[in-house]
Amino acid sequence: MFISEINALLELQKSVQMQVWIAFIERDENEDLKDCFHFISISNLYKFLEEIQKDNSFQQIKVLRIPNQFLKKIGKKISFSVSHVDFSPKIIQKSIQIHLELMENLKNQIIMFIRNNKCYKSNIGREIIKNTMKTYYSKEVDACTNTLINDKVILHSKYKHLSLF
């Protein structure tokens, strides 16, 4: 889920003064829908985001992947009761590690793609997503590409293909 969406939903919750919940539906390997939903309150999700953002290395991440143990599984009966979620240090560290590994992998994929293909900055997100089976989102690819440009790993000039320094 995009961090910007979490922030927007928190603002919605504040303005309507009612608890906002996010629902996810389960899919199987073939992307077919299952008869199972998972919920999490925006309050709990925001608390998790605050905990994970205490680590400075998390600042460049634009998408939050929510650990399954924080989601409330709903079968036949839906219950919107506010519950406490345990954000143990072990879960926080594991989540940070997963996110950072994904970002490092994405940086490597961007570099390899630029090394082997001609591509403009405006197209890199679409190309990476197409080649990684939807593992990443375009905002993540854009943020990583900008980081690599700022770190002088990628050379970017208007109207020219991206290249490596």
Side-chain angles (χ1 to χ4, degrees):
M1 176 165 209
F2 292 111
I3 292 173
S4 59
E5 292 173 321
I6 295 169
N7 292 327
L9 288 170
L10 184 67
E11 288 303 313
L12 172 68
Q13 179 172 288
K14 288 177 184 176
S15 67
V16 297
Q17 297 181 355
M18 292 182 70
Q19 185 74 302
V20 173
W21 290 79
I22 302 167
F24 300 92
I25 190 161
E26 228 177 277
R27 296 178 183 268
D28 62 18
E29 309 82 49
N30 301 321
E31 293 290 316
D32 293 330
L33 299 177
K34 291 183 170 183
D35 292 336
C36 181
F37 286 90
H38 299 270
F39 288 86
I40 187 167
S41 73
I42 194 65
S43 298
N44 283 334
L45 190 54
Y46 189 75
K47 286 177 193 170
F48 174 62
L49 180 60
E50 284 182 320
E51 287 297 317
I52 209 168
Q53 284 182 329
K54 288 178 182 175
D55 186 305
N56 289 336
S57 55
F58 192 82
Q59 299 306 316
Q60 68 177 352
I61 295 173
K62 304 291 182 198
V63 174
L64 181 68
R65 287 164 173 84
I66 305 164
N68 290 338
Q69 58 263 45
F70 295 162
L71 300 173
K72 184 176 181 181
K73 189 172 183 173
I74 306 294
K76 296 181 188 255
K77 189 175 181 181
I78 296 176
S79 169
F80 291 103
S81 59
V82 178
S83 59
H84 173 71
V85 177
D86 177 28
F87 301 123
S88 72
K90 184 177 178 182
I91 293 172
I92 298 295
Q93 281 308 115
K94 181 69 174 169
S95 294
I96 291 170
Q97 179 186 354
I98 289 169
H99 282 84
L100 292 177
E101 286 173 4
L102 281 168
M103 289 302 102
E104 192 60 33
N105 187 11
L106 177 56
K107 285 178 183 179
N108 291 332
Q109 287 185 34
I110 291 169
I111 290 168
M112 289 303 295
F113 187 82
I114 291 170
R115 182 173 288 139
N116 298 321
N117 302 279
K118 292 184 179 204
C119 185
Y120 295 106
K121 184 181 177 201
S122 59
N123 295 338
I124 191 85
R126 182 179 38 229
E127 294 298 325
I128 294 293
I129 291 167
K130 182 171 62 175
N131 291 324
T132 59
M133 299 182 294
K134 300 179 184 175
T135 304
Y136 302 102
Y137 297 95
S138 61
K139 283 186 179 181
E140 284 180 302
V141 177
D142 293 343
C144 269
T145 302
N146 287 331
T147 299
L148 290 168
I149 290 168
N150 293 337
D151 292 347
K152 301 201 182 310
V153 175
I154 296 174
L155 177 62
H156 171 253
S157 300
K158 280 189 174 185
Y159 311 116
K160 293 189 178 182
H161 292 118
L162 295 173
S163 61
L164 301 175
F165 269 98

